[in-house]
C-alpha cells in the first residue's frame, strides 16, 4: 500500500517531485532490451561513460493532463519520439525506436497515474525522457551502449498569478549554439552553454535572453530555452533558422493560428522588425506561451515596448486558450494530437 498523496497541486513548482516509478531500456550488443520498471531514483553509470565526458546526452519534455472528462491525455508524444530520434542521429547516438518511446511514455504515465494532477488545478504531469551514452571510453568516440529512461514529475501551473507578462533582453556577447551546430537538437550541452547568459539576464531583472542568429547577429533566434513568435499586423511570425530547436508547441500554435484563419510566416526576422510587432511571446511545453511585455536591446539601448497597455495581447491569449483547451479535452482534438491513456 502506497502512502496517501498530500500535494497542493496549485502550489507545485516546476521542479522534481518523487513519483512511484520510472521506466528504462538499454541498448547493448546491438539491440534494445525489454522495458524495465524501476522504483529507484538513481542509475548506475561507469565513471568513464561518454555521457559524462563528451556530452552524449539528449532529452525530451512533454506533458500529460487530466481532462475535463477525467481521462488522461498525453500531448503529441509521437512528435517527441521523432525529435528524440533526430537528436540521436545528430549526436551519433543509437536512435530509440519511436514505438518503444511511445510504449514507454504510456507505461510510465499509467504507472504513476495517481500523480497526474486533477482537472482544474492548472498542474500537469511533466514527462522527461532522456538518453545517455554509457560506454566507458577516455578516447573521444561514440558509445556502443545506451540507456534510455523516462521519469515523470507533477508540475504546477506555469502562471501562478495568471497569464502574465515578462521582459526579455538582447545581449550580443552570448550565443547559445553555433550556426551549424547542435541547436536544432535537444541536447543537454546546449543548456550548459546557455546558463551563463541566462543567469546574467536574471541578474539584470529579465526572464530570458532573446538570442540573435549566431552567424550574423541580425535575426531573431531563440528566446532562452523556448521558441519565439510575434503577432504583426494580424500575422503569426516566427524565426526560421537551422540553429533553432523545432518546438512542438510552436508547431501546434502555428497550426491553430492557421485553423483560425491567421496567416503564418516562418522566416528570418530582423531585430529591428520588433518595432513593428503588436504582440510577442516565448513558447514551449512548460508555459505554452509566455507573453512578453518589453524587449530591451542592451547593446544599443533600444527598448521595444511590445505590450503597450501592459496586458498580454488578444491573439496570444486566444492561441494559448485554444491549445490548453485541446490538451484538457475541452475542445475537439481535430489533428489527433492527444493520446488517451486507458
Ligand atoms: C524544448 C525546447 C523548446 C520547446 O520545445 P517544445 O517541444 O515546444 O517543448 C524550445 N527551445 C529549446 C532550445 C528547447 O530545448
Amino acid at each position: 500500500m502506497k502512502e496517501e498523496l498530500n500535494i497542493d497541486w496549485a502550489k507545485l513548482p516546476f521542479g522534481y517531485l518523487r513519483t512511484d516509478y520510472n521506466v528504462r531500456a538499454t541498448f547493448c550488443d546491438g539491440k534494445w532490451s525489454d522495458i524495465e520498471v524501476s522504483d529507484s531514483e538513481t542509475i548506475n553509470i561507469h565513471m568513464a561513460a561518454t555521457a559524462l565526458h563528451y556530452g552524449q546526452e539528449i532529452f525530451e519534455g512533454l506533458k500529460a493532463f487530466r481532462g475535463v472528462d477525467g481521462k488522461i491525455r498525453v500531448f503529441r508524444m509521437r512528435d517527441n519520439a521523432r525529435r528524440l530520434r533526430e537528436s540521436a542521429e545528430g549526436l551519433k547516438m543509437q536512435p530509440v525506436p519511436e514505438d518503444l518511446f511511445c510504449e514507454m511514455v504510456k507505461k510510465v504515465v499509467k504507472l504513476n497515474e495517481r500523480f497526474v494532477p486533477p482537472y482544474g488545478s492548472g498542474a500537469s504531469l511533466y514527462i522527461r525522457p532522456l538518453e545517455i551514452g554509457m560506454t566507458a571510453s577516455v578516447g573521444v568516440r561514440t558509445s556502443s551502449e545506451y540507456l534510455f529512461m523516462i521519469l515523470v514529475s507533477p508540475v504546477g501551473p506555469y502562471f501562478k498569478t495568471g497569464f502574465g507578462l515578462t521582459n526579455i533582453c538582447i545581449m550580443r556577447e552570448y550565443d547559445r549554439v553555433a550556426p551549424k551546430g547542435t541547436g536544432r537538437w535537444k541536447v543537454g550541452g546546449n543548456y550548459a552553454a546557455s546558463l551563463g547568459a541566462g543567469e546574467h539576464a536574471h541578474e539584470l531583472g529579465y526572464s530570458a535572453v532573446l538570442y540573435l542568429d549566431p552567424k550574423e547577429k541580425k535575426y531573431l533566434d531563440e528566446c532562452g530555452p523556448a521558441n519565439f513568435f510575434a503577432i504583426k499586423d494580424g500575422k503569426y511570425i516566427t524565426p526560421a533558422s537551422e540553429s533553432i530547436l523545432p518546438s512542438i508547441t510552436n508547431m501546434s500554435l502555428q497550426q491553430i493560428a492557421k485553423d483560425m484563419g491567421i496567416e503564418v510566416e516562418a522566416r528570418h526576422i530582423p531585430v529591428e522588425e520588433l518595432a513593428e510587432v503588436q504582440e510577442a511571446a516565448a513558447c514551449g511545453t512548460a508555459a505554452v506561451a509566455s507573453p512578453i511585455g518589453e524587449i530591451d536591446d542592451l547593446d544599443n539601448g533600444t527598448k521595444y515596448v511590445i505590450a503597450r497597455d501592459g496586458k498580454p495581447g488578444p491573439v496570444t491569449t486566444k492561441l494559448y486558450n485554444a491549445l490548453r483547451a485541446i490538451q484538457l479535452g475541452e475542445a475537439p482534438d481535430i489533428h489527433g494530437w492527444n493520446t488517451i491513456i486507458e
Side-chain angles (χ1 to χ4, degrees):
M1 206 35 206
K2 299 277 182 194
E3 83 289 357
E4 232 179 276
L5 293 184
N6 185 11
I7 301 174
D8 187 348
W9 303 105
K11 291 219 181 77
L12 268 178
F14 189 87
Y16 174 78
L17 197 84
R18 184 178 190 157
T19 60
D20 293 335
Y21 302 104
N22 56 82
V23 292
R24 307 163 180 214
T26 50
F27 185 84
C28 196
D29 297 329
K31 59 177 193 306
W32 284 98
S33 68
D34 290 338
I35 301 167
E36 180 203 341
V37 174
S38 172
D39 62 3
S40 166
E41 286 176 289
T42 61
I43 58 172
N44 228 331
I45 184 167
H46 194 288
M47 63 184 178
T50 65
L52 301 179
H53 298 255
Y54 304 123
Q56 272 202 314
E57 191 273 351
I58 54 177
F59 67 101
E60 272 304 324
L62 62 163
K63 281 178 171 177
F65 303 87
R66 179 84 60 182
V68 62
D69 52 6
K71 290 182 182 161
I72 299 170
R73 288 172 174 78
V74 180
F75 189 67
R76 298 197 76 166
M77 71 176 177
R78 269 271 152 211
D79 296 278
N80 293 91
R82 179 186 38 75
R83 194 169 65 186
L84 186 81
R85 178 174 54 67
E86 289 167 0
S87 298
E89 287 162 1
L91 265 58
K92 300 296 166 208
M93 296 170 65
Q94 182 65 37
V96 176
E98 293 180 21
D99 286 340
L100 176 63
F101 180 103
C102 292
E103 195 185 335
M104 286 173 69
V105 167
K106 287 190 265 186
K107 189 163 197 136
V108 76
V109 173
K110 184 75 196 165
L111 286 165
N112 294 292
E113 202 171 350
R114 68 194 191 111
F115 290 92
V116 182
Y119 172 76
S121 63
S124 55
L125 187 72
Y126 186 71
I127 305 167
R128 166 54 60 83
L130 71 152
E131 183 180 0
I132 54 178
M134 297 292 274
T135 305
S137 173
V138 268
V140 180
R141 62 170 62 89
T142 64
S143 274
S144 47
E145 285 119 24
Y146 291 89
L147 169 65
F148 172 58
M149 61 185 298
I150 309 180
L151 57 97
V152 297
S153 177
V155 293
Y158 192 86
F159 299 104
K160 296 220 168 16
T161 51
F163 192 54
L165 294 169
T166 63
N167 294 341
I168 61 173
C169 64
I170 294 169
M171 292 192 276
R172 285 169 191 74
E173 66 188 284
Y174 298 106
D175 287 312
R176 189 184 71 91
V177 291
K180 298 217 179 264
T182 53
R184 72 197 102 155
W185 302 311
K186 211 164 173 78
V187 176
N190 294 345
Y191 280 69
S194 73
L195 293 174
E199 205 169 290
H200 192 176
H202 292 157
E203 280 166 9
L204 298 174
Y206 297 97
S207 68
V209 178
L210 178 56
Y211 292 100
L212 301 186
D213 78 275
K215 189 171 178 193
E216 298 186 82
K217 305 269 189 185
K218 275 190 189 160
Y219 307 106
L220 306 182
D221 217 73
E222 287 223 57
C223 185
N227 275 191
F228 176 88
F229 72 86
I231 305 298
K232 182 187 174 192
D233 305 328
K235 280 187 199 161
Y236 182 110
I237 62 172
T238 190
S241 124
E242 60 187 0
S243 51
I244 292 179
L245 194 276
S247 153
I248 294 163
T249 311
N250 193 359
M251 282 162 35
S252 308
L253 293 170
Q254 289 179 42
Q255 183 61 55
I256 291 170
K258 286 178 194 160
D259 294 347
M260 290 173 171
I262 295 170
E263 214 179 301
V264 172
E265 285 178 2
R267 58 164 169 86
H268 285 327
I269 302 176
V271 193
E272 301 74 34
E273 201 174 331
L274 287 173
E276 299 160 31
V277 308
Q278 290 82 40
E279 302 180 31
C283 63
T285 294
V288 175
S290 178
I292 294 164
E294 185 175 311
I295 303 172
D296 293 349
D297 187 332
L298 300 182
D299 298 312
N300 60 23
T302 309
K303 283 181 184 291
Y304 299 99
V305 180
I306 311 287
R308 291 189 178 75
D309 59 357
K311 290 194 300 248
V315 182
T316 305
T317 306
K318 212 164 97 173
L319 292 169
Y320 170 86
N321 287 333
L323 182 50
R324 295 275 301 160
I326 295 171
Q327 292 173 330
L328 297 172
E330 297 164 348
D333 177 22
I334 58 170
H335 299 289
W337 287 339
N338 295 322
T339 300
I340 293 180
I341 304 297
E342 305 292 351

